[in-house]
């Protein structure tokens, strides 16, 4: 199951993580975000222990969304060692997202 990231836990769960982290910046009213939900959940199961995968609701955690300049959703950022190492915007296939993640394992 995908983790839930918030303004309150972002430092601990994402920036301080020992393994790479994929953050799915989304909102419940966003159609493309809803389409990506099952893809993100499937990858979270497949890659459990190799990469931490989670979602951050941009409306519930506006500070983090603003800090990372989220202008369009869904937006995906891969963090390693507390730094953004890759960014993607928009819906994509599971294979495309999996390939992006595998490049950082």
């Amino acid at each position: 199951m995908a983790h839930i990231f918030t303004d309150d836990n972002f430092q601990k769960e994402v920036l301080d993580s020992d393994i790479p982290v994929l953050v799915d910046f989304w909102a419940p009213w966003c159609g493309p975000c809803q389409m990506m939900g099952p893809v993100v959940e499937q990858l979270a199961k497949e890659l459990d222990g190799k990469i931490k995968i989670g979602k951050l609701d941009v409306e519930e955690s506006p500070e983090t969304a603003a800090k990372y300049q989220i202008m369009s959703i869904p937006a995906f950022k891969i963090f390693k060692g507390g730094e953004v190492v890759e960014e993607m915007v928009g819906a994509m296939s599971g294979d495309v997202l999996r390939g992006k993640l595998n490049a950082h394992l």
Side-chain angles (χ1 to χ4, degrees):
M1 179 171 179
H3 296 263
I4 303 297
F5 302 133
T6 65
D7 285 345
D8 293 335
N9 73 7
F10 199 82
Q11 179 71 43
K12 179 177 177 278
E13 292 290 330
V14 177
L15 302 180
D16 295 341
S17 177
D18 293 335
I19 60 174
V21 182
L22 171 73
V23 180
D24 172 7
F25 293 88
W26 76 292
W29 48 261
C30 165
C33 299
Q34 297 295 336
M35 288 175 26
M36 290 303 298
V39 172
V40 170
E41 288 292 339
Q42 178 61 37
L43 290 171
K45 288 178 195 166
E46 279 180 34
L47 300 172
D48 188 39
K50 297 178 185 173
I51 187 166
K52 186 185 291 186
I53 296 177
K55 300 166 78 67
L56 182 133
D57 184 328
V58 297
E59 291 187 334
E60 291 183 7
S61 298
E63 290 175 28
T64 303
K67 178 179 179 180
Y68 290 98
Q69 301 174 334
I70 303 303
M71 302 295 178
S72 298
I73 54 175
F76 302 91
K77 293 189 186 284
I78 300 173
F79 290 80
K80 265 178 137 173
E83 299 293 324
V84 175
V85 293
E86 185 150 356
E87 303 175 76
M88 301 147 280
V89 177
M92 64 195 80
S93 73
D95 290 340
V96 169
L97 187 53
R98 183 181 294 106
K100 300 277 189 184
L101 295 174
N102 285 334
H104 295 284
L105 297 181

